Amino acid sequence: MATVRICVCGDEKTGKSSLITALVKDTFITSKIQSVLPQITIPPTIGTPESVTTTIVDTSFLPQERDTLNKKIRRSNVILLVYHDHYSYERVALFWMPHFRSLGVSVPVVLCGNKSDLVQNGSTAQVVTGEMLPSMAEFKEIDSCIRTSAKEHHNVNEVFFLCQRAVTHPIAPLFDSKEAVLKPAAITALQRIFYLSDKDQDGYLNHQELHDLQVKCFGKPLSEEDLSNIKQSIQRSSPASVSEKGINEHGFLLLNKTFAEKGRHETIWFILRTFHYTDSLSLKDSFLHPKFDIPQYASAELSPAGYRFFVDLFLLHDKDNDGGLNDNELSALFAPTPGLPASWDEFGFPSSTVRNEAGYITLQGWLAQWSMTTFVEPKTTLEYLAYLGFEEKGGTTAALKVTKPRKRRKRLGKVERNVVLCYVLGASHSGKSSLLDAFLNRPFSEVYHPTIKPRTAVNSVELRGGKQCYLILEELGELEPAILENKAKLDACDVLCFAYDSSDPDSFSHIVNLQKKYPHLDDPPTIYAALKADQDKTTQRSDVQPDDYTRNLHISAPLHVSVTWPNISELFTHIAEAGINPSSAYPKLDDDPSSTGGVDRTNLYIALGATICAAAAFVIIWRRTTALAPG
């Protein structure tokens, strides 16, 4: 917030202008001053909260100034309402507060009992009990109350500080004064902060965790005396909230409730803003969605720091050390977030990745799922990194990296990426779903279930040489025509796998028809898989048999595999390597200039160059020999 605009209101003769003058001059002015002072601006250098500029606007209650008064009230973001005797106090409830509401303004009000130096105004205790507390109970807009005296310069600076604080550190979003409880949104935010501060996830903030939270929020350590006072304060209300392990979540909420009750709500705001909360108690959009641009034909992947964060998160929440996250552990892990990412439901999580025998996601599956999420929706990964407390220099974007764009698939060389997307295409009953099950180490089932919605599976694959990458297999279901017609969707795909049932004579013709219908399917690298190789192979009812078809495209012949064979993993390795080294699986027709093969053409150039050099050398030697010969 750039400016705090204070509108000073109240009946005539309550001392509004005297208060403002006393603040500016730092003394009481005995001489007569003008009835309405000009607007005053206080720069942020003079000890203002949050380093904001403060504008103070004086007003008049005279009938002829009513329109001007209303305009000034509407433009303000805090109102200082001044009274000084019983009559002007009664007017607070009878006129001023209803008038503010009638104007539709919803800003905090600081109630000021001025001229406390006058004996007839009673003691501070009497005023607080008899006037201020009842007013705060009746009107939730009243943020705080204070007694002042411009003549004695009593609480003059303090009253304007309260106005500033009412804007920069508002109590209304945090605390319900009538019910004396923290508001639900504040509780939710503080629960998330407790979760992120509980580094060992034992349900308590121990001494070290409290110390780290103190340094993070206030930049100074927590002394033993301060820690003891905090624990004693909590124990008075809830003895069970403090133990040798530290302070539990209920105790942490009680501590912040105490801050609010004692008027120290700026302490709560320091904590909330350190954890990127806005005045509406939502996380800052710039924190959840930082700028992260991905060039065309490039992709996003987790960086080493990102993988390390998700590994640590998994191990921290695998409380029973069984290598999988059960429902309770997964729920606890996502406690500081809105829940599982919406896209995970679309992926069919947890069926989309690797699980153990009990059906719980493993570390391998956990990393694979986040690798796929980052590849498909990097903004979702960034958002959840923020929710889950990723902390690195550079922010959440340090957990991601951008791959080099793959502009031309025909070009020789490897693609620098560790996540590969493959569309699995083929006729019904060809075995695509069983292929995805085998990819996730699921047992083979004889029962046929047609794929209606697109289905996704992601797992890690070990390449030749020991390097690991993540492969995403997607079966398109009934959306296959729409996706294949969408150029953007096809551009995002790294490799196509055409699968057919080698025991069904009509299976391969579906692939031939697909490529006739969508000629641009020749653009991505292509792998052909002859599935169900454990059954009797049959001749395909097609103009060209699969081996001849692939030979004409100058790519590898179909791999004959079965999901019941252990070597099915070779197919997944073959697919991943085709995505990383696309020129090795790029279809080339005989009339395609690239079908001559990059290596062969290079050899031709080398041989031609060597011949020219040899010929040039021969000519030079011959000339020298001729020049030296006797005449």
Side-chain angles (χ1 to χ4, degrees):
M1 181 173 293
T3 304
V4 172
R5 191 175 183 87
I6 305 171
C7 184
V8 185
C9 298
D11 289 353
E12 295 300 304
K13 305 298 182 181
T14 54
K16 303 187 296 295
S17 300
S18 295
L19 273 176
I20 298 172
T21 306
L23 174 72
V24 175
K25 299 293 185 180
D26 202 28
T27 187
F28 180 65
I29 305 298
T30 56
S31 58
K32 185 177 180 181
I33 58 177
Q34 60 192 95
S35 58
V36 179
L37 297 174
Q39 178 177 300
I40 295 168
T41 299
I42 302 174
T45 53
I46 309 180
T48 55
E50 298 290 309
S51 297
V52 296
T53 299
T54 303
T55 300
I56 301 174
V57 180
D58 197 8
T59 62
S60 170
F61 183 62
L62 295 175
Q64 61 269 28
E65 298 291 335
R66 186 63 55 87
D67 288 341
T68 303
L69 170 68
N70 292 343
K71 288 178 182 178
K72 290 179 178 180
I73 291 173
R74 287 194 178 100
R75 291 188 61 197
S76 68
N77 48 23
V78 60
I79 296 171
L80 176 57
L81 181 56
V82 184
Y83 73 94
H84 82 286
D85 56 13
H86 182 72
Y87 173 77
S88 57
Y89 167 72
E90 291 291 333
R91 294 261 302 160
V92 168
L94 294 176
F95 173 76
W96 284 107
M97 296 306 297
H99 183 66
F100 298 152
R101 290 179 176 179
S102 70
L103 294 176
V105 295
S106 180
V107 298
V109 176
V110 175
L111 186 60
C112 172
N114 196 23
K115 302 185 181 181
S116 63
D117 53 287
L118 300 179
V119 177
Q120 64 267 27
N121 283 344
S123 67
T124 298
Q126 291 173 332
V127 172
V128 169
T129 305
E131 297 176 358
M132 293 181 173
L133 291 180
S135 297
M136 290 186 72
E138 183 177 358
F139 300 102
K140 63 180 179 61
E141 300 97 318
I142 298 179
D143 178 88
S144 54
C145 302
I146 189 171
R147 294 196 79 194
T148 62
S149 170
K151 184 175 182 179
E152 296 181 348
H153 210 277
H154 175 62
N155 283 342
V156 173
N157 289 18
E158 286 77 2
V159 69
F160 288 100
F161 178 82
L162 286 178
C163 291
Q164 292 169 331
R165 193 184 67 164
V167 177
T168 59
H169 303 93
I171 186 66
L174 304 178
F175 192 67
D176 187 331
S177 300
K178 286 186 177 180
E179 301 295 330
V181 293
L182 290 170
K183 290 189 174 179
I187 291 174
T188 300
L190 290 169
Q191 284 174 331
R192 175 177 173 272
I193 291 171
F194 179 90
Y195 168 94
L196 296 179
S197 303
D198 182 15
K199 298 299 183 182
D200 57 8
Q201 286 297 298
D202 66 346
Y204 291 85
L205 295 184
N206 58 38
H207 188 177
Q208 185 59 48
E209 290 166 342
L210 283 168
H211 170 82
D212 293 343
L213 179 61
Q214 169 80 11
V215 173
K216 181 183 177 73
C217 296
F218 304 101
K220 59 183 180 180
L222 190 68
S223 68
E224 289 292 338
E225 183 181 356
D226 291 338
L227 179 62
S228 177
N229 291 337
I230 288 172
K231 289 182 176 180
Q232 289 175 9
S233 173
I234 296 171
Q235 281 180 317
R236 281 194 289 268
S237 301
S238 177
S241 296
V242 180
S243 71
E244 293 181 357
K245 292 182 178 180
I247 300 169
N248 65 14
E249 183 185 278
H250 180 65
F252 183 68
L253 293 175
L254 274 177
L255 177 64
N256 284 278
K257 176 175 176 285
T258 302
F259 290 149
E261 289 173 333
K262 292 184 176 181
R264 291 180 55 194
H265 42 279
E266 68 271 17
T267 302
I268 306 175
W269 278 114
F270 271 117
I271 297 171
L272 290 168
R273 286 170 179 161
T274 300
F275 284 83
H276 307 283
Y277 281 93
T278 65
D279 288 353
S280 61
L281 296 180
S282 60
L283 287 170
K284 291 180 181 177
D285 188 69
S286 59
F287 175 61
L288 290 177
H289 308 113
K291 185 178 180 182
F292 189 76
D293 296 325
I294 303 174
Q296 189 178 15
Y297 302 117
S299 64
E301 296 178 1
L302 289 173
S303 68
Y307 277 115
R308 185 168 58 249
F309 174 77
F310 283 117
V311 168
D312 292 343
L313 203 62
F314 182 96
L315 296 177
L316 183 63
H317 287 83
D318 183 16
K319 297 296 185 182
D320 52 14
N321 295 317
D322 65 346
L325 294 179
N326 59 42
D327 293 343
N328 291 333
E329 292 168 341
L330 202 61
S331 177
L333 190 155
F334 280 99
T337 75
L340 292 177
S343 60
W344 286 24
D345 288 334
E346 298 172 11
F347 293 146
F349 179 83
S351 299
S352 57
T353 191
V354 184
R355 295 180 288 173
N356 61 19
E357 293 179 356
Y360 304 141
I361 185 172
T362 63
L363 178 58
Q364 179 183 352
W366 173 252
L367 296 179
Q369 185 73 22
W370 279 112
S371 297
M372 175 170 64
T373 304
T374 306
F375 180 87
V376 178
E377 291 183 332
K379 290 184 178 180
T380 297
T381 299
L382 288 171
E383 181 180 348
Y384 274 77
L385 284 165
Y387 282 126
L388 293 167
F390 177 84
E391 293 180 340
E392 285 275 345
K393 187 177 180 181
T396 52
T397 55
L400 272 62
K401 65 178 183 179
V402 178
T403 65
K404 287 185 178 180
R406 51 155 174 76
K407 294 182 179 179
R408 291 181 59 190
R409 288 189 171 110
K410 295 182 183 181
R411 185 177 294 170
L412 290 173
K414 293 185 177 181
V415 176
E416 295 183 10
R417 57 178 56 186
N418 296 313
V419 182
V420 174
L421 172 62
C422 171
Y423 290 158
V424 182
L425 308 176
S428 300
H429 296 272
S430 61
K432 301 188 297 296
S433 297
S434 295
L435 184 66
L436 267 64
D437 287 336
F439 183 49
L440 300 176
N441 304 318
R442 308 277 164 76
F444 173 69
S445 173
E446 295 282 357
V447 180
Y448 173 71
H449 296 286
T451 301
I452 308 300
K453 296 181 179 179
R455 182 190 168 194
T456 305
V458 61
N459 198 354
S460 58
V461 174
E462 186 172 332
L463 307 176
R464 295 179 182 89
K467 183 183 177 182
Q468 189 183 71
C469 78
Y470 289 95
L471 175 61
I472 305 168
L473 297 182
E474 187 167 347
E475 185 184 0
L476 306 182
E478 292 185 351
L479 289 182
E480 182 179 277
I483 293 175
L484 295 184
E485 288 172 358
N486 188 326
K487 189 177 184 302
K489 285 281 188 181
L490 207 59
D491 283 343
C493 171
D494 295 296
V495 59
L496 297 176
C497 177
F498 289 106
Y500 68 96
D501 179 356
S502 60
S503 66
D504 179 0
D506 296 316
S507 187
F508 188 76
S509 61
H510 176 83
I511 294 174
V512 176
N513 292 334
L514 265 183
Q515 295 203 327
K516 287 180 180 178
K517 185 175 182 181
Y518 306 104
H520 53 277
L521 292 183
D522 286 337
D523 291 342
T526 304
I527 296 294
Y528 285 78
L531 303 182
K532 304 184 184 180
D534 56 324
Q535 300 181 22
D536 292 337
K537 180 181 177 181
T538 185
T539 302
Q540 295 293 314
R541 295 194 185 103
S542 176
D543 294 338
V544 184
Q545 291 303 298
D547 285 6
D548 295 331
Y549 192 86
T550 53
R551 190 181 301 112
N552 292 338
L553 294 175
H554 301 279
I555 59 174
S556 300
L559 291 175
H560 289 261
V561 293
S562 169
V563 296
T564 61
W565 291 353
N567 66 347
I568 185 65
S569 60
E570 293 180 6
L571 172 61
F572 306 131
T573 300
H574 201 57
I575 293 172
E577 289 183 337
I580 292 175
N581 191 9
S583 62
S584 65
Y586 187 80
K588 308 174 189 71
L589 300 175
D590 289 334
D591 58 350
D592 187 346
S594 66
S595 66
T596 57
V599 176
D600 293 338
R601 178 172 289 184
T602 302
N603 291 338
L604 175 63
Y605 291 157
I606 291 172
L608 183 59
T611 302
I612 293 171
C613 289
F618 174 78
V619 170
I620 292 170
I621 293 171
W622 179 79
R623 285 181 177 176
R624 286 183 179 178
T625 304
T626 304
L628 294 173

